Amino acid sequence: MDNLEKLVRAERKKLLGIAVATGTVDKDAFDRLDRLCKLAAEAKPERRWLIPFVVFALLTIFIGLLVKEQHETEIDLDLAVSELHFRLPQQEQLTGDQFLRSLNAAALDGIVVDGTYWPAPKPDTCSLSVELVSAALKADAITLAALVPPKGWDVGVSRSGSEVDFAFTSPSPSTEKEFAVRAALRGKAALSTDCTPNRKNRTIRWNGPGSLTMRIGAATTLRCRSASPIRFADQIGFENLRLYAIEHYQTDTGPVDRRLSSVLRGTFYLDALNAKAVPLRPFEDLSLGSSTGYIRGVSVPVDSKPLNEELDLQAHATVRELNLGSGANERSQMPRWLELLAAQTGITLLWAAGIYAFGIIYAVLRWYHFTH
Amino acid sequence: MKPTIVFLLLSAISQVCSAQTQCDLEVIRQADPKDRDHYFQRDKNRCEGVYLEQVAGTVGSLLVASLTGRRGVLAQWPVNGPLTFRWNQFASGEVHIQAFPVVPRKFFRLDVFERGAAEYAWNTDLVAKYLTPAEVGLVAWTLAPIDGRNQRVYLPIAVGSGAPKGPYRVTLVSSVDLSELYITVASIAPGEKPLRVNAPLRFGSYPANQKIEVDLPPLPKAGLYRVEFVGDRRDQGSVAAPQFFVNHSP
């Protein structure tokens, strides 16, 4: 086959040389060259498989891009939730000073009241209740100092009307076992606690200043009731943000756990898809898998109703899983690579520029070929 | 031969690493390395220098800025030689000495870590460029297990010669205006009655960011005393300094 092509080229060259030298072309020689050309063309193998192959390859690539999800993606959350849970990647301030009307704590490791230490009879067992009396002055308050749990602790925040609950859990032995939270009292208040050697309830009535330090143990909960909304710190770093509650039921056959979404409403935004908004329905399950990021803000809505459970949450997260729904209805919301490419305005620009450049080059080549 | 070299290298690396971890990383992050006076590890046990932005640790609603003897007031930095200060040793733990500004918008920090010593000679050339003695808080503390957990025990400091003796003076700085400040002092020994329980200081006014010098009541016996300060804010509620312990060695 190569020899035939070489023969065609040699014959063509020879005929061109004669034509240039003499100004005429021999008909027989031209016919012979024509036949040789046809023969060479027929001798070439037909590549009928090429087009289907290209189509199949492109289809495979497109299906792959359509199916394959990003390994991890960034999202922004703008939600109303009834509770949230997260782990602290480092020691972090959750709240500023809070001016409370009442404070309840359970599973404490002990308390220090006005300089006297009252240990829990057993670790994480004692409870405490402090409440301002009804005739309290405006300046009176139980001032709860900033909550600053250690690195690695799990924090849960939930709300019920004017009460906000904080649940602290020390998930592993490597984290610090406890931390201290201070409170200062002003005005008339009553403190009731079972942090006593015999677990007998003890009540103290204050009329003036008082100080209280609570030793937060491995599973302590704090319930804060405030006349004004609780103020949370901004930009709280987190790991493993969870927007659901686990409800426990005791039945005749044993305990049953149920997972309930805490999402009341809101939207999350897929940053990789030019902040594509995905609205959420009430109590729609949103699983973030292993996530890291920071809470831009948590707040109690000012105009919310007294029995409202709503907390406004704004957060930025990097997630490796992003699922909506539960059970058989669970569907991933991780961006696909094709969506990602489609969302890139730079790629559209590149295509347009490429086609334009190709057109220009093609026109120049046509002109060059025509003139030469 | 080779194992010896590896051991020496490893021990050198571990020494460097352990030495580096003593400085406050947050302050290092806020320091400008181009500034010759920036905060970094200047000696084996000393980190000192200036930095650019406020960091946690030297701020708080009610900050304990110093704990000294009542006669330990320093009018000016020593012209020749270092400033020597002493404390009474307590337990065998590491003593952390910290100096920092008690005035807003000045960012300086000294962190010294001493083990087994009861005095330190501080070369004040650097701090003297930025702060007067009256603008500096100076504390020494160690961690000791009290009530089942490691807690901060302040060691009163005596400037100059002689060991620190009571009575002591605590300097506080509040970040908010206070209308009254209350003190609680109690021995941690079982059965001891508290010396003060929420006793008002009655100084009249306590403006924000101003030093509040409080004389502790005479401590009758050697040992640890729990000290708490609670202040009434001018607007609403209170502020409380983290409770701390004072080691008294008469």
Side-chain angles (χ1 to χ4, degrees), chain B residues 53-65:
Chain B
E53 291 291 336
Q54 190 63 67
V55 296
T58 54
V59 288
S61 300
L62 195 54
L63 178 73
V64 178

Side-chain angles (χ1 to χ4, degrees), chain A residues 17-25:
Chain A
I18 292 168
V20 169
T22 62
T24 58
V25 178

Side-chain angles (χ1 to χ4, degrees), chain A residues 97 99 101 112 114-117 138-141 143 178-180 182-186 206 209-213 215, chain B residues 61 146-149 151 179 182 184 186-187 194 197-198 226 228 230 232-243:
Chain A
D97 285 357
F99 304 121
R101 312 306 288 175
V112 180
D114 285 341
T116 308
Y117 176 50
K138 197 185 169 193
D140 292 350
T143 306
E178 61 171 52
F179 67 100
R182 285 173 292 121
L185 299 136
R186 181 173 178 180
W206 268 291
S211 68
L212 176 68
T213 302
R215 287 171 58 165
Chain B
S61 300
I146 302 167
D147 300 335
R149 65 188 286 249
Q151 305 206 50
S179 57
Y182 306 90
T184 297
S187 167
V197 178
N198 295 317
R226 191 191 306 271
E228 288 185 0
V230 177
D232 286 346
R233 296 166 63 117
R234 280 217 177 273
D235 47 4
Q236 184 193 19
S238 323
V239 291
Q243 64 153 1

